[in-house]
Every structure is written in C-alpha cells, then in structure tokens.
C-alpha cells in the first residue's frame, strides 16, 4: 500500500523539491491512485497512494493533524486499526478519516513509542512532530514493508525503495565490500543496516528510530520473541499444538481480509497457499479470486504446479486464473523485473512473481500469500540435520552458504575481498546469541528474522508493488510466530518438515496437496542460463561498466561461461546467474 519518501535537513536549509519529485517518480508504480507532498521548514514528505482502506480523499497522504501537530507518511496496513480506533475514541480522540493512517497518528500521541507494540500489521512510517521537530521512523516486526535511508552530515533522505534514493541524487553508489561478501556467500542476503551500495542503508525490522531536531538519533528494537520452551506448555500433545496453530492461523487470515476492496490469494498449489484458500472458504468467503503462474520446462525440469493449484481451486470453488509464461515472454519480462528490485535478488521466482503480479493487478488490488511458513514452521531441508548439531554455525554454513570464504577470495578480484569471513561472523552472532534452546531453534530464529526479511518477503513486496498490488502474509502474523517459536522442534520437523502445519492442513485441504515432494516456484530456464540468457549475462559482465568495476576475476567468469549448468550452488542456484544478476541490476539502475 503505497510508496513513501522524504528529506530532512539539519543545517537550516530547505529540502530539495527536485530530489523529492525524482524520488516520487521512481515510486509511482507502488501508488498509482494519487500523490501528495507536504513541506514544513526543514522537512519534506512525499507519498504515492494505493487506495485500499478509506478510499476517500480524507485519507490522502502525507496526512496532517493540525490539532496534534503531527504529519505522517505511511506504507502498509494496520489490521487491528478498528479496535485501536475505538480505544482511542474512548480516550477522547476525534477522527476526520476512517482509515488506519490516522490511527497511527493518534496512537503515537497517546502511547508514544509503545504504540508500535500494539499494531498488528505490516508498516513502514515516518512521522514529524511540528512542535519539537522530532522525526520518528518505524518498521514492522518482519520488515514486510521496506524503508531505505541515505545520509550526509546535513541531510537524511528516506524512501520505500533503494532506486528511489538513487534517483534523488547525492548518493554514494559504490559497492559495499562487506555487502558483496554477504551477497555472494549468504545466498544474496544483505542484512540491515547494509545494502549493496555504500551510500544507502535500511532501517532494521522491529525497530523504532527517534531523530531529534539536531540530528541526534536513537533506536529501540521492540520485538524479539524467545525461541525457548515455555514450562507451562511442556505437557501439550501434538494434537493440542495443532489446534492452537489452527486457531492462530484462522485469526491471522481473518485479520488480513480487512480492506475496502476485494482480497484474493496467490495460489502456488503448495500446502501454505492452499491452506490460506481453505481457511478463507471455511470462513465463508465467496467469489474468492486465486492466481497461479507456470513456465516452460527446461532440462527435463517441470515449470509449473498447476495440477495442485487446479485441485485446490476446484475443491473450494474459487474464481481461478492460470498464467502460463512461454520462454519469449520470460526474456521480455526480465528488464522490468530488474527494475522492480530494490536490491539484487538472485531467486529465480522474482520474474514469476513479477509476471503473476502484472496479471493479478488487472483484477484486484490486494492478495494474501504463503511466504514465511517454511521459516516459521521448519519446512526447509537444512533444519533436520541441525537436530544433532554440535557446531550450529559450521553446520548451517555448510548447507546454506553458496560458497566458502576461501573459495570467494579466489573468485573476487583482490581489491574486492575481505580478510575476515564477514558472512560467517554475522551468522555466528545470530546463531549463538541467547534466547534459543536448540540449534534448530537458533536456525529458525535466524531465518525468520534475517533471511526471510531480505529474500522471500522483500521479493514479494518488490514484485507485487511494481504493479500497484498489495501482498499480505498471514504466516507472519506476529502472534502466530510467537506461538510457533515455543513449539518443540520435533513437532515442526516431523513428517519431513512443517509437521505441525501439515497436521493443521489435514483439517482443511486435500491430502494430495500435503503428502507430496516439497515444491518450489520453478523457472528452469534461469537455473541453467543457456541460449539468450547466457548471452544477456555475458554481455552485462563484459560491458565497460562491469570491466571498470572489476568485481570478479576473469578466469572465474570464463569458467562459468564454459559450463553454466556445472556450477550450481548448494541451494540449487546458478552461480553464473548470481554473478550476472548483480551486474544486470547495477546497470539497470544506472550504477
């Protein structure tokens, strides 16, 4: 829901209207239904609106409350805003709109920093206090909604996307060597505050930042659930855990139906999205629109899961839409996919979500999607081996990292290497900090709070919002995740993974969808990088900008060109696609 941007000056100057205009132009696809600008002395806010809740002009943004002296620009949705509004009205607050944006304003005035702990939803907002000059920034618990920052000694700019900040100018666009190490090692994940560029940072999830008028700032992390067993719950049986998860998921799905426009579902045919469809049908939702996408086969690898999505659509009587993408359309869609990426993201299914979102946006403005279930309920293949781990850092790196530090030093040009294995050190800090009972708990916490944020969640936000489509993710309801964090790993990993969630699904959807090999969002043409895809990657890596950057040793690139299919990472990714995508992304955004 929307794109936000702005500029704050700390030197007495006024913000640049030209920079604000360029940022808003870059963000326009995120909010095609209207724009707004507010300037107050040293502060400028811009907003591109996607109308989801309170479709009237009373809810336009940036929103000002002259009585309270507050201005806000906000991206996201507060699902429990009606309950919060009622509570605030009892306190004497008066409302001029019927949406969730104004609730945030009043909530800040009433509860201060504690307001974010009351919000159920996804959000990134920036708020300005007229009387103090104070700025408040906050991001939801899982970073579902992005917030990028660029700073100089006198200026702070923010935006919903990294390319918007680059468009605004005055950004150091050199590549961050540490971030490059993360990208090449930690499966293209660059955790906050870093991005691939030295001049752009991002506010971490579950963080509220207060910036005083003189530029002094402080951060507070407001959510960090324990991955430990609760003594009061140790006697629960598998069936009791199942029932608790089912009730929590029912509530999560119901919460995400709040809208003044219809809400559909991205239906892959897997357990997670099928379960969402089943729970919506169970709740009496009629006329539900569902959407699936598939691609051509390559190297004998199937490119769709239509047999399962068709089964779910028929079972629950949805208004189902199937999108089949021939190879020619896939190639044509790649430039737009690169343009939509706020950061380089190596997963093949970016283009799948991009094309799916293009089609879905012709019919609907809001969808629910199944991201997060694997990270929250233990669905990935690297969790079971960790049950017996005596060295969780090494064992996690062995199954998740794309390459070792030593191998990376042989692939990067010498000036781009780091002495320290910075990616392993980062993962070690997360895996060994207190609050996780077992190695599996530590890995689930890392994946749900770090990997998930800067891979699946970011991918879905970027690709859907490129077409003015809002995606909601019920498996990331924070109360559901708090419950899941307490569940013993044995319950999650039974039955090949996601055991407790599969038990829930058996109450709702056909067993054929559950008892099968885990599926992915397959785009086989990109996995094997042959033909025109190989030409595209080679051209990018041979271009003048790439040669001037000199990130990779030429002998390594020549080895990848000679046999792309021989260089597949442990997570079934193409090493050539990973390398090429980074350069294609940089060039797409004029870097």
């Amino acid at each position: 829901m929307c794109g936000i941007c702005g500029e704050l000056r700390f030197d007495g100057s006024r913000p640049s209207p030209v920079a604000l205009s360029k940022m808003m132009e870059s963000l326009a696809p995120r909010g095609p239904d209207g724009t707004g600008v507010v300037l107050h002395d040293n502060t400028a806010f811009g907003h591109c609106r996607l109308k989801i809740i309170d479709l009237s002009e009373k809810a336009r943004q940036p929103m000002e409350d002259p009585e309270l002296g507050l201005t806000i620009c906000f991206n996201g949705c507060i699902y429990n805003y009606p309950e919060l509004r009622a509570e605030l009205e009892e306190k004497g607050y008066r409302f001029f709109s019927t949406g969730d944006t104004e609730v945030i304003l009043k909530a800040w005035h009433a509860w201060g920093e504690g307001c974010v702990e009351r919000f159920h939803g996804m959000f990134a907002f920036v708020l300005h206090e007229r009387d103090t000059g104070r700025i408040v920034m906050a991001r939801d618990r899982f970073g579902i909604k992005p917030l990028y920052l660029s700073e100089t000694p006198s200026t702070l700019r923010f935006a919903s996307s990294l390319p918007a900040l680059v468009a605004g100018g005055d950004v150091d666009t050199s590549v961050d060597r540490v971030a490059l190490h993360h990208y090449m090692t930690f499966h293209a994940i660059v955790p906050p505050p870093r991005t691939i560029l030295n001049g752009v940072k991002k506010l971490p999830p579950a963080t509220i930042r207060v910036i005083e008028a003189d530029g002094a700032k402080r951060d507070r992390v407001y959510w960090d659930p324990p991955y430990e067993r609760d003594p009061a719950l140790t006697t629960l049986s598998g069936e009791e855990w199942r029932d608790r998860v089912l009730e929590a998921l029912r509530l999560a799905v119901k919460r995400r139906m709040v809208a003044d426009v219809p809400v559909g579902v991205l239906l892959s045919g897997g357990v997670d999205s099928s379960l969402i469809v089943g729970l919506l049908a169970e709740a009496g939702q009629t006329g539900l629109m569902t959407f699936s996408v598939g691609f051509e086969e390559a190297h004998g690898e199937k490119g769709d899961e239509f047999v399962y999505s068709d089964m779910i659509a028929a079972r629950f009587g949805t208004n189902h839409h199937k999108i089949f993408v021939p190879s020619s359309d896939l190639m044509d869609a790649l430039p737009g996919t690169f343009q939509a990426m706020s950061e380089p993201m190596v997963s093949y299914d970016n283009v799948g979500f991009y094309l799916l979102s293009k089609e879905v946006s012709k019919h609907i403005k809001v969808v629910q999607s199944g991201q997060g279930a694997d990270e929250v309920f233990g669905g990935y293949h690297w969790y079971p081996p960790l049950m017996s781990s005596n060295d969780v850092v090494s064992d996690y790196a062995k199954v998740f990292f794309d390459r070792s530090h030593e191998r990376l030093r042989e692939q990067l040009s010498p000036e781009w290497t780091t002495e320290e294995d910075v990616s392993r050190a980062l993962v070690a800090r997360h895996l060994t900090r207190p609050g996780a009972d077992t190695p599996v708990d530590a890995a689930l916490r890392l994946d749900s709070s770090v990997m998930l944020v800067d891979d699946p969640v970011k991918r879905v936000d970027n690709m859907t919002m490129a077409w003015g489509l809002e995606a909601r993710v019920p498996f990331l309801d924070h109360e559901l995740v708090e419950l899941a964090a307490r569940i013993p790993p044995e319950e999650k990993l039974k039955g090949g993974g996601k055991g407790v969630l599969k038990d829930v699904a058996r109450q709702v959807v056909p067993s054929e969808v559950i008892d099968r090999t885990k599926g992915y969002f397959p785009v086989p043409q990109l996995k094997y990088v042959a033909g025109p895809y190989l030409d595209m990657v080679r051209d990018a890596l041979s271009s003048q900008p790439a040669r001037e950057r000199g990130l990779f040793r030429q002998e390594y690139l020549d080895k990848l060109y000679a046999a792309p299919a021989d260089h597949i990472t442990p997570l079934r990714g193409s090493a050539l696609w990973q390398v090429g995508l980074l350069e294609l992304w940089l060039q797409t955004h004029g870097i």
Side-chain angles (χ1 to χ4, degrees), residues 68 78 80-95 99-112 115 118-119:
L68 301 182
I78 307 300
N80 64 329
Y81 82 93
E83 296 90 335
L84 293 175
R85 177 184 173 121
E87 192 174 346
L88 289 162
E89 285 176 331
E90 288 182 4
K91 285 178 168 288
Y93 287 94
R94 295 173 296 173
F95 288 79
D100 51 347
T101 306
E102 190 181 359
V103 169
I104 299 176
L105 283 176
K106 264 65 171 184
W108 170 258
H109 189 267
W111 299 309
C115 70
R118 294 171 175 257
F119 296 156

Side-chain angles (χ1 to χ4, degrees), residues 40-239:
H40 283 308
D41 300 324
N42 69 327
T43 305
F45 284 1
H47 190 268
C48 300
R49 185 181 182 193
L50 180 65
K51 293 182 179 180
I52 302 295
I53 294 175
D54 189 348
L55 311 185
S56 76
E57 286 304 297
K58 291 180 180 179
R60 72 191 301 268
Q61 294 191 52
M63 180 177 284
E64 297 181 274
D65 189 324
E67 184 178 342
L68 301 182
L70 300 175
T71 304
I72 190 173
C73 53
F74 157 55
N75 171 31
C77 183
I78 307 300
Y79 305 125
N80 64 329
Y81 82 93
E83 296 90 335
L84 293 175
R85 177 184 173 121
E87 192 174 346
L88 289 162
E89 285 176 331
E90 288 182 4
K91 285 178 168 288
Y93 287 94
R94 295 173 296 173
F95 288 79
F96 52 81
S97 69
T98 60
D100 51 347
T101 306
E102 190 181 359
V103 169
I104 299 176
L105 283 176
K106 264 65 171 184
W108 170 258
H109 189 267
W111 299 309
E113 292 182 32
C115 70
V116 290
E117 296 166 40
R118 294 171 175 257
F119 296 156
H120 290 274
M122 52 182 186
F123 54 87
F125 67 81
V126 181
L127 184 150
H128 177 243
E129 293 183 342
R130 177 190 60 206
D131 298 337
T132 65
R134 185 179 294 126
I135 293 288
V136 181
M137 298 179 168
R139 198 169 173 206
D140 65 69
R141 296 165 179 85
F142 289 98
I144 301 167
K145 288 300 166 185
L147 191 58
Y148 291 90
L149 312 168
S150 66
E151 297 185 64
T152 69
S154 60
T155 307
L156 168 63
R157 288 181 182 159
F158 65 87
S160 293
S161 77
L162 183 154
L165 290 174
V166 172
D170 301 321
V171 172
D172 177 0
T173 58
S174 62
V175 172
D176 181 327
R177 281 195 311 156
V178 173
L180 177 62
H181 195 291
H182 295 334
Y183 175 86
M184 292 295 294
T185 303
F186 196 18
H187 202 54
I189 296 156
V190 179
R194 295 183 186 274
T195 72
I196 199 67
L197 303 184
N198 278 305
V200 180
K201 307 301 179 190
K202 51 200 175 197
L203 187 71
T207 300
I208 184 165
R209 175 171 295 174
V210 178
I211 306 171
E212 301 298 339
D214 62 0
K217 62 187 178 185
R218 57 183 171 83
D219 286 3
R220 181 172 72 88
V221 176
Y222 64 86
W223 189 73
D224 183 21
Y227 277 70
E228 300 169 315
R229 308 294 79 79
D230 183 342
L233 303 177
T234 55
T235 61
L236 290 185
S237 66
E239 291 75 16

